[in-house]
Amino acid sequence: MTAQSEKVPRGNLIAIFAIALMAFLGILVETSMNVAFPTLMKQMHVSLNTVQWITTGYLLMVALLMITSAFLKQRFKNKQLFVAAALAFILGDLICALATNFPILLVGRLIQAGCAGLAIPLMFNIVVESVPRSRLGFYMGMAGLILMIAPASGPTFGGIMVYLANWRMIFWSTMPVELIILLLGVGAIKQYAPVKLVKFNWGQFCLLAIAFISFTLGLNSVSTAGALSWEFLGGIGLAIVAIWGYIVLAKHSSRQLLKLEIFKNPVFTYSFFAYFTLQFCNIGINFALPNYAQIVVGATSLIGGLMLLPGSLVTAILQPWFGHLLDEHGARLPILMGSTLFMIAALVFMTFGQHLSVVLIAIMYVVFSVGRSMAFSNTLTNGLKEVDMSQRADANAIYNTGQQFAGSIGTTILAALMSSVNVSGMSYAHETAIGSQLAFGLIFVLSLINFGFYFIVFRYQKNDK
């Protein structure tokens, strides 16, 4: 292959840049509102358990759209999906910026989530279709970096916007950027494969949607209704029934939204469980720490966001090295090294859960973020390597869907734990501190469980290079 044939055409680079920037913006705003939750709770008279739906609902909507990504790719042109994603973001932005109460704000967030749900799969599809095979690793790595750095950068961005003006500035400031992205990419996005009229399997989608939503609502009810309430047991029970219904329906269908037979591969399955757990903890702690800093420590929203910035920057710089470790030494070294750092940070957060300072949070978040990202990216790579090429697209869809759903329930459960302590005569800050320690304890337990998942992975995997 000549050097000329290995170059990515300028038009393709513009298209990749535009869709990558759109995906980054869509993911950035996932967690950007976390620092504004204490303010929203006062202004809109809602509890922490309710306000967290600003993030949970967003991630849940993205997860549901991820399920449809294979169908959308076959049915609609890249440019149509790109424009739809941009318009969803702009419309959602406008509704949120003008929202006068919590329900309107939540509706705006759900519409805005359409951007990330459409843009993330489209980003990977355009990279795969427009980049020469010899350069594919670099561009896929850069695309994957967006998924890891953007959520952690959200609280920092949100904190700066709230400090400069108020939480509405998060939406006003991103609107013109999205308009520029739309103008930049609409002429550059090309179509590389023909579209065709395919039927959408509404039955399978509805069953999965019922499962995801009812499971999340059930978990959300624990702190208010209790683990033996009909809200919790009914939500979990309905989710189980819906998943069972999907499995039965999918077995008798030639068109499955998520091909569950991939889970017959134990390396893929337990890698997915570990990947899911890491994302659960990542999005959950990105929610917990800014709120802890403001409610318990008394820090400003700016400090609550900025204290996560060092961890995000260090992780971004080291990300290429994480992949290099896998290439040179196999998956076992970076995954177990990253999991160990992740566990140490979780242990410190749990141990000092009621007495954390901003400085200690910032330092341990660096350790947490580096360890989580080192294990997270290599877990994905290692899991996909064990899947046949014919199943690779379906495996990616499962990982992407699981990643978003893990984030939604991570936020839900940690919010429930943080607000679970109600003691007469105790200050709200002290109650939140005790609840936060419970939340950090859960993350520590999950860090230990992940070692069990990896033990099974490497027992079945003969060659981890």
Side-chain angles (χ1 to χ4, degrees):
M1 181 177 289
T2 65
Q4 185 67 26
S5 63
E6 292 179 355
K7 289 183 177 180
V8 181
R10 182 173 177 272
N12 291 3
L13 285 175
I14 295 174
I16 292 171
F17 176 76
I19 188 60
L21 192 57
M22 180 182 289
F24 180 86
L25 206 60
I27 303 169
L28 181 74
V29 297
E30 278 183 2
T31 55
S32 61
M33 286 291 286
N34 288 355
V35 295
F37 284 174
T39 301
L40 288 173
M41 289 162 62
K42 294 177 182 177
Q43 289 183 359
M44 298 186 173
H45 309 291
V46 292
S47 67
L48 181 63
N49 213 34
T50 298
V51 78
Q52 59 88 21
W53 276 97
I54 295 296
T55 297
T56 295
Y58 191 102
L59 290 163
L60 192 57
M61 181 63 75
V62 175
L64 293 175
L65 280 171
M66 290 287 188
I67 297 173
T68 70
S69 59
F71 163 78
L72 294 174
K73 183 181 185 302
Q74 295 180 68
R75 179 63 181 83
F76 298 100
K77 294 181 179 180
N78 291 338
K79 187 175 294 188
Q80 291 174 317
L81 296 175
F82 178 82
V83 172
L87 294 179
F89 188 95
I90 293 168
L91 177 60
D93 239 4
L94 186 61
I95 293 173
C96 290
L98 298 174
T100 55
N101 55 49
F102 184 78
I104 294 177
L105 179 61
L106 182 58
V107 168
R109 288 285 285 179
L110 295 179
I111 294 173
Q112 191 180 44
C115 174
L118 295 173
I120 295 171
L122 182 61
M123 174 179 64
F124 284 106
N125 288 333
I126 288 178
V127 168
V128 169
E129 292 174 338
S130 65
V131 172
R133 186 177 182 84
S134 60
R135 305 293 307 279
L136 193 58
F138 172 79
Y139 282 94
M140 286 294 285
M142 294 303 295
L145 183 62
I146 289 173
L147 299 182
M148 285 178 280
I149 302 304
S153 305
T156 300
F157 168 72
I160 293 172
M161 292 300 103
V162 172
Y163 176 77
L164 293 176
N166 55 48
W167 60 267
R168 296 181 192 274
M169 183 56 67
I170 293 172
F171 305 108
W172 289 123
S173 64
T174 52
M175 198 179 304
V177 178
E178 189 71 18
L179 284 168
I180 293 170
I181 294 171
L182 176 59
L183 295 174
L184 177 68
V186 72
I189 299 290
K190 299 177 183 177
Q191 189 63 28
Y192 303 95
V195 297
K196 53 186 177 181
L197 292 174
V198 291
K199 291 183 178 179
F200 183 64
N201 200 317
W202 284 103
Q204 293 181 26
F205 176 76
C206 288
L207 286 170
L208 288 175
I210 290 171
F212 286 9
I213 295 171
S214 60
F215 187 79
T216 306
L217 288 172
L219 291 176
N220 191 59
S221 69
V222 171
S223 64
T224 54
L228 297 178
S229 64
W230 69 266
E231 293 97 330
F232 172 70
L233 296 177
I236 302 302
L238 181 58
I240 293 172
V241 171
I243 287 292
W244 176 80
Y246 173 80
I247 293 172
V248 171
L249 194 62
K251 280 183 177 179
H252 299 89
S253 174
S254 58
R255 294 179 291 107
Q256 298 179 14
L257 288 176
L258 294 177
K259 295 185 178 179
L260 301 182
E261 61 265 22
I262 298 177
F263 286 101
K264 293 179 180 178
N265 181 332
V267 175
F268 171 85
T269 299
Y270 288 97
S271 292
F272 174 78
F273 289 162
Y275 184 84
F276 186 96
T277 302
L278 289 168
Q279 182 68 350
F280 173 102
C281 296
N282 177 46
I283 300 298
I285 209 162
N286 283 336
F287 159 81
L289 292 178
N291 284 283
Y292 180 98
Q294 293 179 77
I295 297 172
V296 179
V297 181
T300 64
S301 58
L302 178 64
I303 297 300
L306 286 178
M307 69 183 184
L308 305 186
L309 183 59
S312 302
L313 293 177
V314 172
T315 300
I317 293 169
L318 293 179
Q319 190 61 43
W321 180 63
F322 299 158
H324 175 74
L325 284 176
L326 184 143
D327 293 336
E328 291 295 316
H329 304 284
R332 189 185 304 261
L333 175 65
I335 284 176
L336 295 184
M337 184 189 301
S339 297
T340 301
L341 293 174
F342 170 77
M343 180 194 68
I344 291 171
L347 177 61
V348 173
F349 281 133
M350 179 186 69
T351 304
F352 299 96
Q354 296 185 47
H355 308 286
L356 292 169
S357 65
V358 169
V359 174
L360 182 58
I361 289 173
I363 293 172
M364 294 316 302
Y365 185 75
V366 173
V367 179
F368 176 91
S369 184
V370 168
R372 197 277 315 181
S373 297
M374 188 187 301
F376 185 74
S377 57
N378 287 309
T379 296
L380 173 62
T381 303
N382 192 52
L384 289 177
K385 284 196 307 182
E386 296 297 314
V387 177
D388 292 336
M389 286 300 297
S390 61
Q391 295 180 317
R392 192 67 58 84
D394 295 297
N396 262 317
I398 290 173
Y399 269 117
N400 286 331
T401 302
Q403 181 188 39
Q404 301 301 321
F405 185 56
S408 72
I409 63 172
T411 304
T412 298
I413 293 177
L414 263 65
L417 288 172
M418 289 179 70
S419 57
S420 63
V421 179
N422 295 284
V423 180
S424 178
M426 185 178 290
S427 68
Y428 179 61
H430 194 186
E431 289 175 344
T432 304
I434 297 173
S436 298
Q437 191 167 37
L438 295 175
F440 299 142
L442 173 62
I443 291 177
F444 175 68
V445 170
L446 291 175
S447 73
L448 297 178
I449 292 173
N450 249 17
F451 278 104
F453 292 148
Y454 289 130
F455 174 81
I456 298 173
V457 167
F458 294 126
R459 188 183 68 180
Y460 280 100
Q461 195 172 19
K462 305 302 180 186
N463 182 12
D464 66 345
K465 276 194 175 183

